[in-house]
């Protein structure tokens, strides 16, 4: 329910939204083009069966996919705001997050449960 409230708010203070007990997902730019401005405004993490992508206020759309590396099972979602929440498996394994932002930049990052 908290996500529904937060998803309606476009200008989110990242430090107020990101909980302390999460698994951080370090992200990298896809391709040869780097988008340092976008990366500085992004925060990605896993918590309690969800992957979150939180962007700056200039982000108006996020499309993301999480893939479990062992069997290529995928979970995807998108949003028309700067916060995306993807419901994913909580089974042990290595997972890859890939996503694209409204500015056209694409990123990836891995996390382990």
């Amino acid at each position: 329910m908290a996500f529904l409230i937060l998803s309606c708010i476009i200008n989110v203070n990242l430090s107020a939204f990101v909980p302390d007990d999460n698994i951080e997902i370090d992200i990298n730019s896809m391709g040869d083009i780097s988008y340092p401005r976008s990366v500085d405004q992004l925060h990605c993490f896993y918590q309690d069966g969800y992957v979150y992508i939180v962007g700056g206020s200039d982000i108006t759309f996020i499309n993301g996919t999480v893939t479990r590396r062992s069997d290529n099972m995928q979970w995807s979602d998108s949003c028309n705001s700067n916060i995306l929440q993807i419901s994913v498996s909580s089974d042990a394994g290595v997972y890859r997050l890939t996503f694209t932002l409204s500015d056209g930049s694409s990123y990836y990052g891995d996390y382990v449960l």
Side-chain angles (χ1 to χ4, degrees):
M1 181 181 244
F3 174 73
L4 293 175
I5 295 168
L6 288 174
S7 66
C8 296
I9 301 172
I10 300 300
N11 295 319
V12 172
N13 179 344
L14 295 180
S15 62
F17 178 73
V18 179
D20 292 333
D21 58 340
N22 62 56
I23 297 173
E24 297 290 323
I25 303 173
D26 291 326
I27 57 169
N28 300 289
S29 179
M30 295 176 109
D32 296 331
I33 301 171
S34 66
Y35 300 90
R37 189 170 140 245
S38 296
V39 171
D40 290 341
Q41 297 178 9
L42 288 172
H43 191 83
C44 301
F45 60 96
Y46 167 89
Q47 184 180 33
D48 298 329
Y50 294 94
V51 166
Y52 296 88
I53 303 167
V54 182
S57 61
D58 60 331
I59 301 301
T60 59
F61 178 82
I62 305 172
N63 183 24
T65 300
V66 174
T67 304
R68 185 168 45 214
R69 303 294 294 261
S70 63
D71 61 2
N72 290 321
M73 177 70 94
Q74 294 187 328
W75 300 266
S76 298
D77 210 341
S78 62
C79 69
N80 289 322
S81 70
N82 64 336
I83 300 173
L84 176 61
Q85 177 188 30
I86 305 171
S87 177
V88 298
S89 173
S90 57
D91 294 342
V94 178
Y95 295 81
R96 172 155 289 185
L97 167 65
T98 57
F99 61 96
T100 303
L101 303 175
S102 54
D103 65 5
S105 57
S106 295
Y107 301 92
Y108 71 93
D110 294 331
Y111 66 98
V112 178
L113 295 181

